[in-house]
Short mmCIF file of all heavy atoms in Angstrom, two decimals:
data_model
loop_
_atom_site.label_atom_id
_atom_site.label_comp_id
_atom_site.label_asym_id
_atom_site.label_seq_id
_atom_site.Cartn_x
_atom_site.Cartn_y
_atom_site.Cartn_z
N VAL A 1 140.65 152.73 112.26
CA VAL A 1 139.73 153.81 112.62
C VAL A 1 140.21 154.45 113.92
O VAL A 1 140.62 153.75 114.86
CB VAL A 1 138.27 153.29 112.76
CG1 VAL A 1 138.15 152.20 113.81
CG2 VAL A 1 137.30 154.44 113.02
N TRP A 2 140.20 155.78 113.93
CA TRP A 2 140.61 156.55 115.10
C TRP A 2 139.38 156.99 115.88
O TRP A 2 138.43 157.53 115.30
CB TRP A 2 141.42 157.78 114.68
CG TRP A 2 142.76 157.46 114.12
CD1 TRP A 2 143.04 157.05 112.85
CD2 TRP A 2 144.01 157.48 114.81
NE1 TRP A 2 144.39 156.83 112.70
CE2 TRP A 2 145.01 157.09 113.89
CE3 TRP A 2 144.38 157.80 116.11
CZ2 TRP A 2 146.35 157.01 114.25
CZ3 TRP A 2 145.73 157.73 116.46
CH2 TRP A 2 146.69 157.34 115.55
N ALA A 3 139.38 156.76 117.18
CA ALA A 3 138.28 157.18 118.05
C ALA A 3 138.79 157.17 119.49
O ALA A 3 139.81 156.53 119.80
CB ALA A 3 137.07 156.26 117.91
N ASP A 4 138.08 157.84 120.36
CA ASP A 4 138.44 157.85 121.78
C ASP A 4 137.67 156.73 122.47
O ASP A 4 136.61 156.93 123.05
CB ASP A 4 138.09 159.21 122.39
CG ASP A 4 138.49 159.33 123.85
OD1 ASP A 4 139.10 158.37 124.38
OD2 ASP A 4 138.17 160.36 124.46
N PHE A 5 138.22 155.52 122.39
CA PHE A 5 137.49 154.33 122.83
C PHE A 5 137.34 154.24 124.35
O PHE A 5 136.45 153.55 124.84
CB PHE A 5 138.16 153.07 122.29
CG PHE A 5 138.04 152.92 120.80
CD1 PHE A 5 139.15 153.06 119.98
CD2 PHE A 5 136.81 152.66 120.21
CE1 PHE A 5 139.04 152.93 118.60
CE2 PHE A 5 136.69 152.54 118.83
CZ PHE A 5 137.81 152.68 118.03
N ASN A 6 138.21 154.91 125.10
CA ASN A 6 138.08 154.88 126.56
C ASN A 6 137.62 156.20 127.16
O ASN A 6 137.63 156.39 128.38
CB ASN A 6 139.39 154.44 127.21
CG ASN A 6 140.57 155.33 126.82
OD1 ASN A 6 140.41 156.36 126.16
ND2 ASN A 6 141.77 154.93 127.24
N ASN A 7 137.21 157.12 126.29
CA ASN A 7 136.64 158.41 126.72
C ASN A 7 137.55 159.20 127.66
O ASN A 7 137.10 159.79 128.64
CB ASN A 7 135.27 158.19 127.38
CG ASN A 7 134.16 157.99 126.36
OD1 ASN A 7 134.37 158.09 125.16
ND2 ASN A 7 132.96 157.69 126.84
N ASP A 8 138.87 159.22 127.33
CA ASP A 8 139.79 159.98 128.16
C ASP A 8 140.23 161.28 127.50
O ASP A 8 141.10 161.99 128.03
CB ASP A 8 141.01 159.13 128.52
CG ASP A 8 141.88 158.78 127.31
OD1 ASP A 8 141.44 159.04 126.17
OD2 ASP A 8 142.99 158.24 127.51
N GLY A 9 139.65 161.59 126.33
CA GLY A 9 139.99 162.83 125.65
C GLY A 9 141.15 162.72 124.69
O GLY A 9 141.59 163.75 124.15
N TRP A 10 141.65 161.49 124.45
CA TRP A 10 142.76 161.28 123.52
C TRP A 10 142.37 160.20 122.52
O TRP A 10 141.76 159.19 122.88
CB TRP A 10 144.02 160.86 124.28
CG TRP A 10 144.54 161.95 125.17
CD1 TRP A 10 143.99 162.36 126.35
CD2 TRP A 10 145.68 162.78 124.94
NE1 TRP A 10 144.72 163.39 126.89
CE2 TRP A 10 145.77 163.67 126.05
CE3 TRP A 10 146.63 162.85 123.93
CZ2 TRP A 10 146.78 164.63 126.15
CZ3 TRP A 10 147.64 163.80 124.03
CH2 TRP A 10 147.71 164.68 125.12
N LEU A 11 142.78 160.39 121.26
CA LEU A 11 142.39 159.46 120.21
C LEU A 11 143.22 158.18 120.24
O LEU A 11 144.45 158.21 120.31
CB LEU A 11 142.54 160.12 118.84
CG LEU A 11 141.51 161.20 118.51
CD1 LEU A 11 141.89 161.93 117.22
CD2 LEU A 11 140.11 160.60 118.39
N ASP A 12 142.53 157.06 120.19
CA ASP A 12 143.13 155.74 120.07
C ASP A 12 142.94 155.26 118.63
O ASP A 12 142.22 155.89 117.85
CB ASP A 12 142.45 154.77 121.05
CG ASP A 12 142.25 155.39 122.42
OD1 ASP A 12 143.25 155.80 123.04
OD2 ASP A 12 141.08 155.49 122.88
N VAL A 13 143.55 154.14 118.29
CA VAL A 13 143.39 153.64 116.93
C VAL A 13 143.24 152.13 116.93
O VAL A 13 144.01 151.41 117.57
CB VAL A 13 144.57 154.07 116.01
CG1 VAL A 13 145.91 153.54 116.51
CG2 VAL A 13 144.32 153.64 114.57
N PHE A 14 142.20 151.67 116.24
CA PHE A 14 141.99 150.24 115.99
C PHE A 14 142.53 149.93 114.61
O PHE A 14 142.23 150.64 113.64
CB PHE A 14 140.51 149.87 116.08
CG PHE A 14 140.23 148.43 115.73
CD1 PHE A 14 140.23 147.46 116.71
CD2 PHE A 14 139.99 148.05 114.42
CE1 PHE A 14 139.99 146.13 116.40
CE2 PHE A 14 139.75 146.72 114.09
CZ PHE A 14 139.75 145.76 115.09
N VAL A 15 143.34 148.87 114.49
CA VAL A 15 143.91 148.46 113.21
C VAL A 15 143.42 147.06 112.88
O VAL A 15 143.66 146.11 113.65
CB VAL A 15 145.46 148.48 113.25
CG1 VAL A 15 146.02 148.03 111.90
CG2 VAL A 15 145.97 149.88 113.60
N GLY A 16 142.72 146.94 111.75
CA GLY A 16 142.22 145.65 111.31
C GLY A 16 143.20 144.99 110.36
O GLY A 16 143.51 145.53 109.30
N ALA A 17 143.72 143.83 110.74
CA ALA A 17 144.72 143.14 109.93
C ALA A 17 144.07 142.19 108.94
O ALA A 17 142.93 141.76 109.12
CB ALA A 17 145.67 142.36 110.83
N GLU A 18 144.82 141.88 107.87
CA GLU A 18 144.36 140.92 106.88
C GLU A 18 145.03 139.57 107.14
O GLU A 18 146.24 139.42 106.93
CB GLU A 18 144.71 141.40 105.47
CG GLU A 18 143.96 142.64 105.05
CD GLU A 18 144.25 143.05 103.61
OE1 GLU A 18 145.03 142.35 102.93
OE2 GLU A 18 143.70 144.07 103.17
N ASP A 19 144.27 138.62 107.60
CA ASP A 19 144.77 137.26 107.78
C ASP A 19 144.03 136.35 106.82
O ASP A 19 142.81 136.16 106.95
CB ASP A 19 144.58 136.79 109.22
CG ASP A 19 145.28 135.46 109.47
OD1 ASP A 19 144.65 134.40 109.24
OD2 ASP A 19 146.45 135.47 109.89
N SER A 20 144.75 135.80 105.85
CA SER A 20 144.11 134.98 104.81
C SER A 20 143.89 133.55 105.26
O SER A 20 143.19 132.79 104.58
CB SER A 20 144.95 135.01 103.53
OG SER A 20 146.21 134.41 103.76
N GLY A 21 144.51 133.14 106.37
CA GLY A 21 144.32 131.79 106.86
C GLY A 21 145.01 130.74 106.03
O GLY A 21 144.69 129.56 106.13
N THR A 22 145.97 131.15 105.18
CA THR A 22 146.69 130.19 104.34
C THR A 22 148.15 130.14 104.75
O THR A 22 148.66 131.04 105.44
CB THR A 22 146.58 130.57 102.86
OG1 THR A 22 147.18 131.87 102.67
CG2 THR A 22 145.13 130.63 102.42
N ILE A 23 148.86 129.12 104.30
CA ILE A 23 150.24 128.95 104.72
C ILE A 23 151.17 129.99 104.12
O ILE A 23 152.29 130.16 104.57
CB ILE A 23 150.73 127.53 104.35
CG1 ILE A 23 150.63 127.31 102.82
CG2 ILE A 23 149.98 126.47 105.11
CD1 ILE A 23 151.24 125.99 102.37
N ASP A 24 150.69 130.70 103.08
CA ASP A 24 151.54 131.71 102.46
C ASP A 24 151.23 133.11 102.97
O ASP A 24 151.60 134.11 102.39
CB ASP A 24 151.40 131.67 100.93
CG ASP A 24 150.04 132.19 100.46
OD1 ASP A 24 149.13 132.27 101.29
OD2 ASP A 24 149.93 132.51 99.26
N ALA A 25 150.55 133.20 104.12
CA ALA A 25 150.09 134.49 104.61
C ALA A 25 151.19 135.32 105.24
O ALA A 25 151.01 136.49 105.51
CB ALA A 25 148.95 134.29 105.62
N GLY A 26 152.35 134.69 105.51
CA GLY A 26 153.42 135.44 106.16
C GLY A 26 153.23 135.55 107.64
O GLY A 26 153.72 136.49 108.27
N GLY A 27 152.51 134.60 108.24
CA GLY A 27 152.26 134.62 109.67
C GLY A 27 150.80 134.85 109.99
O GLY A 27 149.99 135.17 109.12
N ILE A 28 150.45 134.68 111.25
CA ILE A 28 149.09 134.95 111.71
C ILE A 28 148.99 136.43 112.04
O ILE A 28 149.82 136.98 112.77
CB ILE A 28 148.75 134.09 112.95
CG1 ILE A 28 148.80 132.61 112.59
CG2 ILE A 28 147.38 134.46 113.51
CD1 ILE A 28 148.64 131.68 113.77
#
């Protein structure tokens, strides 16, 4: 989601990752 999280007039982006918590996840 893109939003100006620090209110400086420029868009930031939050990226939500998929972590399955299993050994085949390819890392944390």
Side-chain angles (χ1 to χ4, degrees):
V1 59
W2 291 81
D4 182 4
F5 292 110
N6 57 7
N7 281 355
D8 66 350
W10 294 74
L11 288 171
D12 316 302
V13 61
F14 176 91
V15 179
E18 293 184 1
D19 188 272
S20 64
T22 61
I23 59 174
D24 71 343
I28 297 173

